[in-house]
Amino acid sequence: MAIAIHNIPEGIAVAVPLRSATGSRKKAFWWATLSGLAEPLGALIGFALLMPFIGPMTFGISFAVIAGIMVFISLDELLPTAEETGEHHCAIYGLIAGMAVMAVSLALFI
């Protein structure tokens, strides 16, 4: 569920600059869709290669590292950029809302 929710802002992050650069909504949509389809393919390949090593400890460590990277990118890259555009309050509200959605989605499956 968390990965599916994560794909929404990722798709927007791909589509918006492409739309701006090319002026084509159609092209931006298809490139964003293609980038989104790369994840399931990579997951299948990774699962096939790492199946002998997968266990609860491996998942815990992997998820902790990935969560840390995502929070770092949000705080180090996205918020300063939002500050430059004058939309930093909206970005912070979005960050908090995103963390709340992730927490609720995790709590629903415990």
Side-chain angles (χ1 to χ4, degrees), residues 29-69:
F29 172 80
W30 286 112
W31 278 108
T33 302
L34 182 64
S35 76
L37 293 175
E39 285 185 24
L41 179 62
L44 291 174
I45 293 169
F47 181 74
L49 292 174
L50 299 174
M51 194 168 44
F53 309 106
I54 293 176
M57 181 69 80
T58 309
F59 275 129
I61 292 170
S62 299
F63 291 154
V65 169
I66 292 166
I69 291 169

Side-chain angles (χ1 to χ4, degrees), residues 80-93:
T81 302
E83 180 96 22
E84 291 172 8
T85 63
E87 297 294 329
H88 58 282
H89 289 295
C90 290
I92 291 171
Y93 297 148

